[in-house]
Amino acid sequence: MVVAITHFKSLFSEYHHGPTSYIHMLSKPIAEPRDTAIHQDDIDKLKQAMTQSVKKMSSKLAFYGSHNTDKALQLNHLAYYMKQNVYFVDCKHLVEKYIGETEKNLSKLIAQAGSESWILFFDEADALFGRRSTVKDAHHKYANQEVSYLFKRLSQYPGLSILSLTKKSKLENIQYVVDSVICFR
């Protein structure tokens, strides 16, 4: 868990453990002038997402790529310019093995973030979509329901939510349910 948050917490002057082991709160971003390695049209997508979020409209982004430092820098810039804190979710630890528990965790998490007007950042979101498949048995059915539930709740969330992915196959599964995909080289 420490490795997942390391790149990110160094760019914020305040860091706090959340109420559970998979939640971290990052505040007071340190703006650094360094640019991230993204395309110009991705910059336009980020501006549009910021505008929607400021208007309390749902905006879902996918950060795709393996370069965590650039993702951390971009998240820092978003938090700085939007003057919002980040609710950092370590997805590897969010997913529960018991049916229904992941949905309960997501529900509490999104409700609290909505009341605080935070940026939701789902790190290693590949873990959430790892079990998405054709329905072969009851377990697969519930795994697919978790993914559907997540996107339903994020669509209702009045702010910016970001899913960080590294696997292309996972991105292909969700690219049609997020507003924009930001690619990091």
Side-chain angles (χ1 to χ4, degrees):
M1 177 173 24
V2 175
V3 174
I5 188 80
T6 302
H7 292 289
F8 296 88
K9 74 180 190 182
S10 66
L11 295 172
F12 292 82
S13 61
E14 288 188 14
Y15 163 79
H16 304 282
H17 287 285
T20 64
S21 63
Y22 56 83
I23 295 174
H24 309 273
M25 288 168 263
L26 303 168
S27 56
K28 297 188 180 172
I30 303 165
E32 294 187 14
R34 198 172 121 198
D35 289 331
T36 55
I38 59 175
H39 297 283
Q40 179 59 45
D41 40 321
D42 285 342
I43 293 170
D44 296 336
K45 293 174 190 175
L46 289 167
K47 288 178 183 175
Q48 180 181 2
M50 287 173 34
T51 301
Q52 282 182 261
S53 181
V54 168
K55 293 178 181 178
K56 300 289 184 197
M57 296 169 62
S58 176
S59 184
K60 298 177 297 299
L61 298 177
F63 278 12
Y64 171 69
S66 59
H67 206 270
N68 278 340
T69 302
D70 280 344
K71 289 179 186 179
L73 284 169
Q74 191 59 61
L75 180 62
N76 175 63
H77 286 301
L78 288 170
Y80 180 81
Y81 290 113
M82 294 173 68
K83 296 177 178 39
Q84 292 182 333
N85 296 330
V86 176
Y87 211 62
F88 183 100
V89 183
D90 184 354
C91 292
K92 281 189 172 182
H93 295 93
L94 169 69
V95 177
E96 293 285 340
K97 63 182 177 180
Y98 299 107
I99 292 173
E101 290 300 310
T102 301
E103 291 92 332
K104 285 181 195 175
N105 292 341
L106 285 168
S107 182
K108 289 179 195 174
L109 158 76
I110 293 171
Q112 184 178 4
S115 68
E116 300 290 337
S117 189
W118 288 336
I119 296 171
L120 285 176
F121 185 82
F122 293 88
D123 190 43
E124 299 186 35
D126 304 273
L128 293 173
F129 311 113
R131 297 175 292 162
R132 189 173 177 102
S133 62
T134 57
V135 178
K136 295 177 185 171
D137 60 26
H139 188 283
H140 288 112
K141 176 182 175 184
Y142 287 107
N144 286 342
Q145 285 179 350
E146 285 176 358
V147 173
S148 297
Y149 181 80
L150 171 66
F151 284 112
K152 177 183 175 191
R153 289 302 309 249
L154 290 180
S155 294
Q156 297 167 345
Y157 178 66
L160 179 60
S161 52
I162 302 168
L163 301 160
S164 178
L165 302 157
T166 57
K167 297 180 180 144
K168 187 168 181 97
S169 62
K170 306 307 180 214
L171 176 65
E172 289 169 354
N173 286 339
I174 68 155
Q175 68 185 350
Y176 301 106
V177 292
V178 295
D179 299 318
S180 296
V181 175
I182 310 300
C183 296
F184 292 85
R185 298 177 231 172

